Amino acid sequence: MGSLASMNEDGSCSTNIVNPLDPEEFRKQGHMIIDFLADYYQNIEKYPVLSQVEPGYLRKLLPMSAPYIAEPVEAILQDVQKHIIPGITHWQSPNYFAYFPSSGSIAGFLGEVLSTGFNVVGFNWISSPAATELESIVMDWLGQMLELPQSFLFSGNGGGVIQGTTCEAMLCTLTAARDQMLSKIGRENIGKLVVYGSDQTHSAVAKAAKIVGIDPKNFRVIKTNKSASFGLSPESLRIAITTDVKAGLIPLYLCATVGTTSTTAVDPLGPLCDVAKEYGVWVHVDAAYAGSACICPEFRHFINGVEGANSFSINAHKWFFTTLDCCCLWVKDPSTLIKSLSTNPEYLKNKATDSKKVVDYKDWQITLSRRFRAMKLWLVLRSYGVANLRNFLRCHVKMAKRFEVLLASDNRFEVVVPRYFATVCFRVLPSALCKIRNEPCGEADHHVHQKHANEFNRKLLESINASGHIYMSHAQVEGIYMIRFAIGATLTEDKHVIKAWEVVREMVDTMLKLNPQ
């Protein structure tokens, strides 16, 4: 791939050695990499979706130490094909339906190439003005597409920043909320602060609370139930808060979710924000997965009430074709982040910062250094436009509806929770297993039947994933083990959904014949 310049006896560097940034060599190798990836996508359906390797496989295949002499890119790509690709779980496969999507696109990939190619470190405005200003612009663009209140946009004295992941967005906003509260009650009272979420809230909130110093005993997990589609009840929140207040504790932060990880449940933002406002609680809305769909008018109602929140985030790298990592965070009051996260050492001082006319994004995040993430989001927005992006998302939702219809055509299956977006949560019913065993499926043996159904569905998912044809993941709510079918890979079409249904149905048929419980 080209050698670093070598040192001559007189201490000077040789000039006849290939430079690591030689333009012509870059052009040649760049074309090879792009061709390699194009071939990968052309052939992606030939690979097992879930990697079939065993732990430690790669150490057995690669040398024990780095090469002393440079190797050609051709040899390296051969090893990528031979050794690396078998160890990849193919998130971009059209047959990938696990977790949530990490949807890619040509625009996202090429934006990443531009970002990496420029390789700027945009910690403050002066370190690369375009990186900062483009980020501010695209965050307002996307905020407008979501119809966020003006108070979340730079044009309304709020503002947006691109973090790496939702975990970072939660950590930053929780830090800001903590410091804002402690400035009023004294830092010695940090042990009284309480953080709230539901039993469906992402575990990253608990992790962030731990990092910022919240006593683990003061993290409240409020139970949800199937009758409310696993949304967080405002009344349950009020009871939890009032109980804490009576105990002399101080409510601090609520994470409400639009599209929870297990079931894509939606918390009622407006009523929750109303309760939180009474007690001065910071509300962060985590719409990591489902927020992307809210650029479509027919889904926008899922974030109604966001005007009462303090912060809001979505992951453009999940279902917005922008590639990992790109978490978009908006805050109503950027000064809260800046007060908590800013640093101003001598070597970073400059006239632009002193003028107060620029954004220094280093003060909106945990780290100092930051990548030029806005470039890929800008390319995605410009390359596809709002109309196409909406249509991409709508197609995924239509395919999820199709899968629901297929499930409904077979009375052995149940859709466990309502489908709001493009994720279907389903299982083989206990009654189907009772029928195979010629046993009554009465209420008296409910727990036994549920246990049998859970074990059957667990084995079903393992068998499906081991086949390599498709890949799905699971969740468990109220003791029910269910299989999650999340559509969102960019290459997925109707034919892949139909194929997935055939795999599921045939696997169930086989399992019931071989092992009728």
Side-chain angles (χ1 to χ4, degrees):
M1 295 189 78
S3 305
L4 290 170
S6 60
M7 193 74 73
N8 296 322
E9 290 183 3
D10 63 0
S12 63
C13 291
S14 298
T15 56
N16 60 342
I17 304 298
V18 175
N19 188 293
L21 269 179
D22 176 74
E24 290 308 311
E25 189 65 20
F26 179 43
R27 194 186 314 276
K28 171 190 167 186
Q29 294 184 26
H31 280 297
M32 292 174 66
I33 296 289
I34 294 296
D35 285 343
F36 181 90
L37 286 172
D39 289 342
Y40 166 74
Y41 279 104
Q42 197 164 39
N43 297 304
I44 196 168
E45 290 191 69
K46 296 179 181 178
Y47 303 117
V49 187
L50 177 64
S51 174
Q52 306 293 304
V53 301
E54 296 293 328
Y57 90 101
L58 194 57
R59 188 169 291 278
K60 299 174 184 176
L61 299 173
L62 297 186
M64 295 298 291
S65 58
Y68 184 72
I69 303 299
E71 299 180 71
V73 69
E74 292 89 345
I76 298 170
L77 286 178
Q78 286 177 6
D79 279 353
V80 172
Q81 183 67 50
K82 185 177 179 182
H83 301 318
I84 303 303
I85 285 182
I88 292 176
T89 290
H90 301 281
W91 285 65
Q92 304 309 312
S93 168
N95 297 308
Y96 181 95
F97 304 106
Y99 307 110
F100 283 130
S102 180
S103 55
S105 65
I106 294 171
F109 298 153
L110 296 184
E112 190 71 70
V113 169
L114 283 171
S115 173
T116 303
F118 292 134
N119 199 26
V120 302
V121 185
F123 46 79
N124 59 11
W125 179 88
I126 201 169
S127 66
S128 271
T132 294
E133 297 197 10
L134 185 62
E135 187 161 332
S136 299
I137 290 167
V138 298
M139 287 300 291
D140 266 7
W141 281 7
L142 185 52
Q144 291 164 5
M145 290 165 62
L146 290 162
E147 295 184 21
L148 290 182
Q150 193 75 11
S151 55
F152 278 108
L153 309 182
F154 283 102
S155 53
N157 296 319
V161 56
I162 301 178
Q163 306 280 356
T165 66
T166 300
C167 303
E168 294 172 39
M170 290 174 176
L171 182 55
C172 289
T173 54
L174 186 49
T175 301
R178 177 201 64 186
D179 290 348
Q180 186 180 56
M181 182 63 74
L182 293 179
S183 68
K184 301 174 183 176
I185 65 172
R187 299 197 71 85
E188 69 277 7
N189 289 307
I190 188 172
K192 296 181 179 181
L193 300 182
V194 186
V195 173
Y196 303 86
S198 81
D199 55 3
Q200 303 301 309
T201 301
H202 197 283
S203 59
V205 182
K207 184 175 183 177
K210 182 178 179 181
I211 292 171
V212 303
I214 303 300
D215 189 324
K217 296 194 301 291
N218 290 354
F219 183 79
R220 301 286 176 261
V221 179
I222 302 172
K223 183 174 173 47
T224 61
N225 54 68
K226 189 176 180 181
S227 63
S229 300
F230 298 103
L232 176 57
S233 158
E235 186 55 34
S236 295
L237 174 64
R238 182 183 297 278
I239 291 170
I241 289 178
T242 54
T243 300
D244 285 330
V245 171
K246 288 177 183 177
L249 299 175
I250 301 169
L252 173 68
Y253 183 98
L254 166 67
C255 181
T257 310
V258 176
T260 59
T261 303
S262 294
T263 67
T264 70
V266 176
D267 292 337
L269 300 187
L272 290 172
C273 288
D274 289 342
V275 173
K277 186 177 181 181
E278 292 180 35
Y279 298 92
V281 173
W282 180 299
V283 179
H284 175 70
V285 177
D286 169 20
Y289 159 68
S292 297
C294 295
I295 68 167
C296 302
E298 65 268 32
F299 295 114
R300 173 57 178 76
H301 67 93
F302 285 112
I303 59 171
N304 284 353
V306 69
E307 61 273 9
N310 300 80
S311 52
F312 174 87
S313 64
I314 73 169
N315 283 354
H317 60 246
K318 273 193 169 70
W319 198 16
F320 207 70
F321 315 98
T322 310
T323 73
L324 192 70
D325 51 3
C326 188
C327 173
C328 301
L329 167 67
W330 291 267
V331 290
K332 279 184 177 176
D333 185 0
S335 70
T336 56
L337 289 180
I338 294 168
K339 288 173 184 175
S340 291
L341 304 173
S342 65
T343 54
N344 194 30
E346 181 62 34
Y347 60 85
L348 292 181
K349 292 180 180 178
N350 61 88
K351 290 182 179 179
T353 295
D354 292 343
S355 74
K356 307 295 183 184
K357 295 180 180 179
V358 300
V359 173
D360 285 344
Y361 274 125
K362 69 179 179 61
D363 300 330
W364 295 48
Q365 62 179 26
I366 301 299
T367 62
L368 171 64
S369 300
R370 66 194 327 267
R371 301 171 60 243
F372 197 169
R373 295 188 185 98
M375 178 62 73
K376 58 187 174 183
L377 182 56
W378 188 49
L379 259 70
V380 166
L381 293 175
R382 293 191 62 189
S383 296
Y384 306 120
V386 178
N388 275 325
L389 289 168
R390 285 174 174 167
N391 287 334
F392 294 156
L393 297 166
R394 286 167 175 153
C395 282
H396 289 155
V397 174
K398 286 179 181 177
M399 285 187 272
K401 290 180 179 179
R402 176 183 286 271
F403 191 74
E404 269 190 309
V405 170
L406 293 169
L407 286 167
S409 69
D410 189 327
N411 61 15
R412 297 175 299 179
F413 293 90
E414 171 195 27
V415 175
V416 181
V417 295
R419 180 208 49 76
Y420 293 133
F421 306 102
T423 299
V424 182
C425 300
F426 71 98
R427 67 168 178 164
V428 174
L429 281 162
S431 57
L433 304 179
C434 293
K435 186 176 180 181
I436 292 294
R437 296 196 305 270
N438 292 316
E439 294 178 0
C441 209
E443 187 63 30
D445 296 318
H446 173 76
H447 292 296
V448 174
H449 298 316
Q450 288 284 20
K451 182 179 178 181
H452 287 159
N454 285 350
E455 187 59 27
F456 183 90
N457 282 287
R458 184 178 291 107
K459 290 178 180 178
L460 171 62
L461 180 61
E462 289 174 358
S463 299
I464 289 169
N465 290 340
S467 74
H469 298 307
I470 59 176
Y471 181 36
M472 296 184 288
S473 55
H474 78 282
Q476 191 159 333
V477 291
E478 284 197 343
I480 298 174
Y481 183 99
M482 60 188 186
I483 300 172
R484 298 171 70 265
F485 186 77
I487 297 174
T490 309
L491 295 172
T492 301
E493 300 175 11
D494 277 337
K495 64 182 180 180
H496 300 107
V497 174
I498 294 169
K499 174 188 172 184
W501 166 242
E502 291 172 352
V503 170
V504 171
R505 188 184 57 191
E506 290 170 7
M507 197 68 71
V508 170
D509 290 342
T510 300
M511 287 177 63
L512 290 176
K513 288 176 183 176
L514 294 177
N515 183 27
Q517 296 293 302

